[in-house]
Amino acid sequence: MASHAIEVKNLYKIFGPRGRDFVDQVKAGLGKTELNEKHGHVLGLQDINISMPAGGVMVVMGLSGSGKSTLIRHINRLIDPTAGEVLYDGVDVCKMNENDLREFRRHKTAMVFQKFALLPHRTIIENTVYGLEIQGVPMEESRKRAQGWIERVGLKGFENHYPNQLSGGMQQRVGLARALTNDADILLMDEAYSALDPLIRVDMQTVLLDLQKELKKTVVFITHDLDEALRLGDKIAILRDGKVIQQGTGQEIVLKPADEYITAFVKEVNRGRVINVETIMKPLSGNPEGVPVTVGTVLESAARLMTLANQTIAHVVDANGRPVGSLDLRTLISAMVTPIGHELQAA
Amino acid sequence: MAICSYLPDLLCKFPAIDDTTIRMARKSVDDGFKALVREYVNIIDALVQPLQWFLNYLEKLFVSSPWIIILAVMVAIVYYGSRDMRITIGTIVSMLLIGFVGLWNDTMVTLAMVTVCTFIAIIVGLPIGILMARSERAQSIINPILDVMQTMPSFVYLIPVVMIFGIGKVPGLIAVVIYAVPPMIRLTNLGIRLVDKEVLEAADAFGSSPWQRLKNVQMPLALPTIMAGINQTIMMSLAMVVVASMVGVGGLGRNVLQAINNQFFTVGFFNGFALVAIAIIFDRTSQAYGKRLQKHSEVIHG
Ligand SMILES: Nc1ncnc2c1ncn2[C@@H]1O[C@H](COP(=O)(O)OP(=O)(O)OP(=O)(O)O)[C@@H](O)[C@H]1O
Ligand SMILES: [Mg+2]
């Protein structure tokens, strides 16, 4: 199944009975607080333009109330936009009629909810098959598929329990299994991992990455955790007050934060796991010395290679093994500990 | 009053329409209504005939079956519904007492009546409640009607009911249903409206059709509230059987009515207590059942 990109274009959402009337004022610069104080309407999203990579993971980050859940709900149109469009495969989701929308939701999307939203009167297995049941897939087959995912998220043996007999983290994994069982092209994950403990969380991240290797779904993933975002995201967008303030790859965001807000956001990140060697390498002078390190290796791995080889110098090689730059341990370590912005300015 | 001498007449004495006009108007409305009823009497009779059959059949079944079978069935239902030994034993004891004081047959008649009323109230109330939950407009139209049905003294609407259907069981039945159906409608509406928005959103996100939404999510989650509505309906039908006996419904209600007319203190109390006993049995059973339904329905986060 080939995946398709999702394009969000000029999307505005203003909550309130007369939202449409304020779009022009918001376009002209009316802010969220003003809109709320003067007109009693809440600015959910403004001027969102994101193109989400086909078959990749799009991570959306931002503080509480910045509009992440609102944005993800526009993709399967649980929320209707006030203005703008959401294109999937060239079709505007916001203009679909009721039938097309239902078919789109049934066959193209699956969603994991921030608050789980399991059906409390159904057992875990009955919850997990829900999407397939709605599609009319025969019971036997849907149970088989659901069973596999229940086991994969580590809930074997709980099939016949009810959601309120499970812990929060377990319920969240049921939500995950329910979405994955649907085997849809688009996977919408609204803080799908926020209730998980660190070990299971890493395990579930691996599930997602494995899934991506095989099936290449278009995933929209909301998280508060920058390390998670950097691990999973092919592309990251950061929201504030309903506006995208920066979008790009993890590297771009960590290396060139657009403003203080994002600088604060990325301050605590483990740089060694984000920055690649080619970002800090020096031009090759003379013969390549020390251990060879491939382009795309993160600093931490490079440091590990050099330590193992008992070397303080390394050279960077491209995919074909051609040397392209050099590296020494001192530069490498200082890049891992000091804000890279300063380094780059000095260089 | 003295103050009247300073005021114009119009502001002092209420300018009511004069008696003759009112009498004329009243007469023409009443006559018109009667004529209308006379015109359609056959159709009306044909329409309510199935109700009559149903009621008669059930009454005959209840009265003519050996008491031990009825008791066994009741105990089975109560136990299955409540899973509670105390309620079950209470049922056996009170039914036996009712039998001993010679009210078994009358109790069966009342039981048949209440069963049919509840059944009709559910059939009528459920769809109306669902409709109300789906549309604000329907809600704003139906709500005042329900207010009228609940607050209008039941004797008042007995008048048109008797004019249309005459004296008998069916008019009694209809009067009881009118009185007892509002809580069924209201609580169905409420139950559906109270369904967790997040869960509904999930059902939508997976592409549920409106019918799938209703069947898979709204109805099951509203069921405990709907059960409370059914419980209320049963209680109100029981309360209404005395009034209904004024238009010809038999059973315990009629005994109470006769006791009132003849000042038979003991008879009145025996019959009254029999009604209370049935009411408590129904109430405890349906509540315990409702509670069991609710067991898994609470959403617990975290
Ligand atoms: N139905 C609604 N009516 C009015 N305002 C709303 C509605 N839904 C969301 N909002 C507002 O939109 C803004 C964004 O909410 P949203 O739920 O998208 O935040 P979020 O980024 O998901 O936050 P969190 O991290 O806490 O989940 C908030 O200011 C919120 O008050
Ligand atoms: Mg959210």
Side-chain angles (χ1 to χ4, degrees):
Chain A
M1 181 167 57
S3 285
H4 302 280
I6 303 167
E7 297 268 353
V8 180
K9 282 189 180 160
N10 306 321
L11 191 71
Y12 285 82
K13 177 67 194 179
I14 298 170
F15 290 105
R18 296 196 301 126
R20 216 167 273 276
D21 300 350
F22 297 113
V23 174
D24 286 332
Q25 290 184 51
V26 169
K27 279 182 184 168
L30 186 71
K32 181 167 177 162
T33 24
E34 275 172 287
L35 181 69
N36 193 9
E37 275 166 15
K38 280 198 198 142
H39 306 288
H41 280 52
V42 179
L43 182 52
L45 294 173
Q46 53 176 321
D47 198 21
I48 304 283
N49 284 287
I50 301 179
S51 110
M52 308 188 172
V57 180
M58 173 83 216
V59 172
V60 179
M61 297 190 70
L63 299 182
S64 199
S66 56
K68 306 181 295 296
S69 299
T70 308
L71 175 60
I72 207 170
R73 276 175 169 69
H74 276 89
I75 294 168
N76 56 357
R77 212 171 116 196
L78 288 175
I79 297 180
D80 273 301
T82 313
E85 42 192 25
V86 176
L87 300 175
Y88 172 77
D89 205 6
V91 181
D92 188 354
V93 177
C94 308
K95 292 208 177 68
M96 286 183 180
N97 65 27
E98 209 169 303
N99 253 327
D100 292 345
L101 179 63
R102 196 177 306 142
E103 288 304 306
F104 173 71
R105 285 173 175 171
R106 279 186 190 175
H107 300 289
K108 299 290 181 198
T109 70
M111 186 159 181
V112 186
F113 289 85
Q114 185 173 2
K115 292 178 190 154
F116 320 149
L118 303 176
L119 306 176
H121 60 290
R122 288 179 161 226
T123 60
I124 301 315
I125 184 95
E126 287 167 351
N127 261 289
T128 313
V129 296
Y130 190 76
L132 297 181
E133 184 185 317
I134 289 297
Q135 293 174 25
V137 175
M139 205 45 167
E140 203 177 322
E141 193 201 327
S142 35
R143 284 205 172 232
K144 211 171 80 194
R145 280 160 64 178
Q147 185 65 37
W149 281 114
I150 287 178
E151 284 170 21
R152 186 60 195 87
V153 301
L155 289 177
K156 192 174 173 164
F158 289 95
E159 292 86 354
N160 296 317
H161 284 56
Y162 285 90
N164 68 0
Q165 298 172 313
L166 267 52
S167 77
M170 291 160 94
Q171 292 184 36
Q172 188 151 61
R173 280 180 280 155
V174 178
L176 186 62
R178 175 174 69 177
L180 292 173
T181 303
N182 232 26
D183 193 25
D185 184 19
I186 302 174
L187 202 50
L188 305 171
M189 305 174 81
D190 191 352
E191 298 192 26
Y193 293 168
S194 57
L196 304 178
D197 67 61
L199 290 183
I200 294 180
R201 194 170 181 144
V202 170
D203 187 32
M204 291 302 116
Q205 289 170 1
T206 314
V207 170
L208 190 63
L209 290 174
D210 289 349
L211 189 76
Q212 279 311 89
K213 260 181 235 147
E214 270 175 61
L215 298 173
K216 296 244 168 264
K217 296 184 181 301
T218 301
V219 182
V220 184
F221 191 99
I222 292 179
T223 178
H224 282 288
D225 180 349
L226 189 59
D227 284 316
E228 184 167 78
L230 294 169
R231 177 158 188 226
L232 299 177
D234 294 309
K235 190 174 170 189
I236 300 175
I238 299 184
L239 290 183
R240 182 176 57 188
D241 292 343
K243 224 192 307 199
V244 176
I245 41 180
Q246 189 171 8
Q247 53 180 321
T249 62
Q251 286 248 4
E252 282 164 10
I253 286 176
V254 172
L255 294 178
K256 299 191 199 77
D259 60 10
E260 281 102 74
Y261 177 69
I262 298 180
T263 312
F265 230 99
V266 300
K267 206 171 62 196
E268 299 303 329
V269 78
N270 185 342
R271 288 163 188 284
R273 291 197 188 152
V274 183
I275 303 170
N276 293 339
V277 282
E278 65 268 27
T279 319
I280 60 158
M281 69 187 181
K282 299 207 171 89
L284 207 55
S285 52
N287 283 335
E289 290 176 273
V291 246
V293 180
T294 331
V295 163
T297 313
V298 294
L299 300 188
E300 198 180 74
S301 311
R304 189 178 303 121
L305 284 175
M306 288 161 78
T307 316
L308 283 179
N310 208 7
Q311 296 262 7
T312 54
I313 307 176
H315 64 278
V316 181
V317 295
D318 67 10
N320 303 321
R322 225 156 19 91
V324 288
S326 73
L327 202 61
D328 67 76
L329 200 57
R330 209 187 65 79
T331 338
L332 197 142
I333 287 172
S334 65
M336 280 165 73
V337 293
T338 54
I340 193 73
H342 300 212
E343 281 285 315
L344 287 182
Q345 272 157 25
Chain B
M1 257 201 283
I3 209 169
C4 268
S5 46
Y6 305 106
L7 278 175
D9 216 25
L10 190 67
L11 296 181
C12 196
K13 189 167 170 293
F14 203 95
I17 309 170
D18 70 283
D19 284 353
T20 358
T21 322
I22 290 195
R23 203 176 318 123
M24 293 301 287
R26 220 167 54 195
K27 200 166 139 38
S28 58
V29 170
D30 284 4
D31 287 350
F33 190 65
K34 276 181 197 152
L36 203 70
V37 170
R38 220 171 296 130
E39 184 109 347
Y40 292 106
V41 69
N42 290 332
I43 300 177
I44 294 171
D45 277 355
L47 279 179
V48 296
Q49 196 60 47
L51 281 182
Q52 181 93 46
W53 284 331
F54 186 28
L55 190 55
N56 283 342
Y57 172 77
L58 216 64
E59 207 176 292
K60 208 146 95 219
L61 183 74
F62 281 15
V63 172
S64 60
S65 302
W67 67 269
I68 189 72
I69 291 183
I70 298 274
L71 187 61
V73 171
M74 261 182 92
V75 166
I77 293 174
V78 168
Y79 182 72
Y80 173 78
S82 67
R83 297 284 157 84
D84 186 335
M85 256 354 251
R86 282 200 355 235
I87 300 176
T88 316
I89 291 172
T91 304
I92 299 176
V93 171
S94 40
M95 288 315 285
L96 287 179
L97 280 177
I98 286 173
F100 281 133
V101 296
L103 291 177
W104 185 268
N105 278 2
D106 288 329
T107 305
M108 286 306 116
V109 172
T110 299
L111 221 51
M113 178 79 186
V114 171
T115 309
V116 177
C117 288
T118 309
F119 189 70
I120 294 173
I122 293 173
I123 290 183
V124 173
L126 209 58
I128 299 181
I130 293 171
L131 178 74
M132 266 175 97
R134 294 177 72 91
S135 137
E136 295 303 322
R137 189 101 167 258
Q139 169 161 278
S140 64
I141 294 171
I142 296 172
N143 247 333
I145 301 178
L146 296 181
D147 292 337
V148 171
M149 285 164 77
Q150 282 187 298
T151 45
M152 177 77 80
S154 33
F155 298 101
V156 175
Y157 59 73
L158 273 181
I159 305 167
V161 169
V162 170
M163 281 169 78
I164 299 173
F165 302 103
I167 296 279
K169 283 178 207 158
V170 171
L173 184 88
I174 289 169
V176 173
V177 170
I178 293 177
Y179 182 69
V181 80
M184 181 68 207
I185 299 176
R186 280 195 210 276
L187 286 167
T188 303
N189 175 29
L190 181 71
I192 293 178
R193 281 176 187 265
L194 282 184
V195 169
D196 191 9
K197 213 187 120 276
E198 310 266 342
V199 177
L200 271 184
E201 206 175 37
D204 281 343
F206 283 94
S208 309
S209 65
W211 166 245
Q212 285 169 329
R213 222 167 113 108
L214 185 69
K215 172 177 70 100
N216 296 333
V217 185
Q218 289 173 313
M219 286 313 275
L221 292 184
L223 205 52
T225 316
I226 294 176
M227 277 306 295
I230 295 178
N231 174 296
Q232 286 298 303
T233 295
I234 297 174
M235 295 297 111
M236 291 176 76
S237 332
L238 276 168
M240 192 59 186
V241 290
V242 178
V243 176
S245 66
M246 291 172 70
V247 295
V249 174
L252 297 171
R254 184 155 62 201
N255 294 348
V256 173
L257 199 65
Q258 280 169 0
I260 295 171
N261 289 337
N262 300 309
Q263 303 180 0
F264 292 157
F265 172 74
T266 329
V267 176
F269 264 85
F270 274 163
N271 283 278
F273 276 125
L275 277 173
V276 171
I278 307 179
I280 292 180
I281 293 171
F282 273 129
D283 180 64
R284 296 299 128 83
T285 308
S286 57
Q287 277 200 19
Y289 183 65
K291 211 168 266 162
R292 267 199 307 129
L293 281 182
Q294 210 155 12
K295 199 168 142 212
H296 296 298
S297 296
E298 298 133 31
V299 183
I300 298 175
H301 294 310

